[in-house]
Amino acid sequence: MANHNRGIDRRIRKSKKTLKTSLISLMQSKDFREISITDIVEHADLNRGTFYKHYQYKEELLEEMMEDVIADLILSYREPYKHVDVFTINELTASVIKIFEHVAAHADIYTLVLKSNALPTLHDRICEELKKLPLEDLEDYRPNTKINKALASSYQAYAILGMIIEWVNTGFTYSADYMAEQLLEIITNRPVDAVYKISKTFKEDALE
C-alpha cells in the first residue's frame, strides 16, 4: 500500500511540475491574463481533467508556483547556519552558500521576474524574504549597536538581489559556485580604513 501511495504521489508531483513548467514557458511570450487553462494543458501535453484534479483556476497554479520558489529560497538562504548554534561570517565557506544554486534551479522564473514586468508580487516577496530572514533567524544581527538592524538587513538584501539581477542580466554567464565565491569575498573583505584612489576620468569630468 505504501509503495502504491508513493507511486501516486510521484505522479501528482510530476503532473504539477509539468503544468508549472508549461505556465512559465507560456509567460515568456504572453501576459498571464492572456493565458488560458487550455493553453497550459496543451503546451504541457496533458488534458484538462489533469489540471482540474489539482487546481480550480490558473491563479492557483501560479500561486503554488510562487510559493514553491519562496520556500526553496528560504531553505537555500538558511543553509549556511541551519546546523550551527553560532554563525560566524569569517568561518563561512562558499560551498555552503546555496542561494545561487536556488536561482539557477529557477532560472526561468527569475528571468521573468527581473527582466520583465511579470510576477511583480513574487519580486516583492523575494525582497521581503531576503530582508526579514536575518532579522528573524539571527539573534544579534548587526555589526555594532550604532547600526539600525532593519536598515542593515535591507542593505544586505538588496546587495544580494543586485548580484542576482546582474547574473540574470548577463545570461547566467558565471556558475553558481563562482557567484557564491564572489559573495563570500565581498562580505569577508570590507576594510574599515580602506583608501580609494579617485580615477583620472572622474577628475577630468568633475573639472569640466
Side-chain angles (χ1 to χ4, degrees):
M1 185 67 177
N3 288 336
H4 176 69
N5 288 337
R6 280 199 295 271
I8 293 174
D9 290 343
R10 194 178 299 114
R11 286 196 296 273
I12 290 173
R13 288 196 300 271
K14 183 178 179 181
S15 294
K16 285 188 168 187
K17 183 178 180 181
T18 302
L19 289 167
K20 290 168 188 173
T21 300
S22 173
L23 177 58
I24 295 166
S25 179
L26 289 167
M27 289 181 69
Q28 306 289 338
S29 57
K30 296 178 70 174
D31 187 276
F32 177 73
R33 291 169 296 183
E34 299 172 356
I35 298 171
S36 67
I37 291 174
T38 299
D39 292 333
I40 296 168
V41 296
E42 286 183 352
H43 193 275
D45 196 23
L46 296 171
N47 57 56
R48 291 176 68 89
T50 301
F51 180 94
Y52 287 117
K53 281 181 183 178
H54 310 299
Y55 311 103
Q56 189 172 1
Y57 308 107
K58 65 177 183 177
E59 287 78 10
E60 291 179 350
L61 171 62
L62 179 65
E63 181 63 26
E64 185 173 283
M65 183 185 75
M66 292 194 293
E67 290 303 318
D68 289 346
V69 173
I70 293 300
D72 194 59
L73 169 67
I74 292 170
L75 286 175
S76 69
Y77 188 96
R78 287 174 167 165
E79 185 65 28
Y81 55 83
K82 72 176 184 179
H83 295 304
V84 297
D85 294 323
V86 177
F87 180 43
T88 305
I89 292 293
N90 289 336
E91 295 177 2
L92 187 63
T93 61
S95 62
V96 297
I97 297 175
K98 300 298 183 183
I99 193 165
F100 297 106
E101 289 183 15
H102 154 78
V103 174
H106 300 283
D108 289 344
I109 295 177
Y110 274 87
T111 300
L112 266 178
V113 169
L114 300 174
K115 294 189 74 171
S116 71
N117 292 322
L119 302 175
T121 303
L122 182 55
H123 181 281
D124 293 342
R125 285 285 306 282
I126 290 168
C127 293
E128 286 305 310
E129 291 299 333
L130 289 175
K131 284 192 287 185
K132 78 178 185 179
L133 279 168
L135 294 176
E136 292 181 350
D137 296 350
L138 308 178
E139 288 186 6
D140 191 23
Y141 178 70
R142 56 182 167 181
N144 63 58
T145 56
K146 293 181 180 180
I147 294 177
N148 181 296
K149 289 193 290 186
L151 292 177
S153 67
S154 292
Y155 175 85
Q156 178 175 293
Y158 284 106
I160 293 173
L161 187 60
M163 289 185 69
I164 293 171
I165 291 170
E166 181 66 15
W167 196 29
V168 171
N169 286 341
T170 58
F172 298 93
T173 300
Y174 310 111
S175 68
D177 288 343
Y178 178 81
M179 294 298 294
E181 290 165 2
Q182 286 297 299
L183 176 59
L184 182 60
E185 288 296 321
I186 291 168
I187 63 178
T188 58
N189 288 275
R190 292 179 178 172
V192 295
D193 58 349
V195 176
Y196 299 100
K197 186 176 180 180
I198 307 302
S199 73
K200 183 178 179 181
T201 301
F202 171 78
K203 286 185 174 181
E204 290 173 348
D205 290 342
L207 292 172
E208 287 181 358

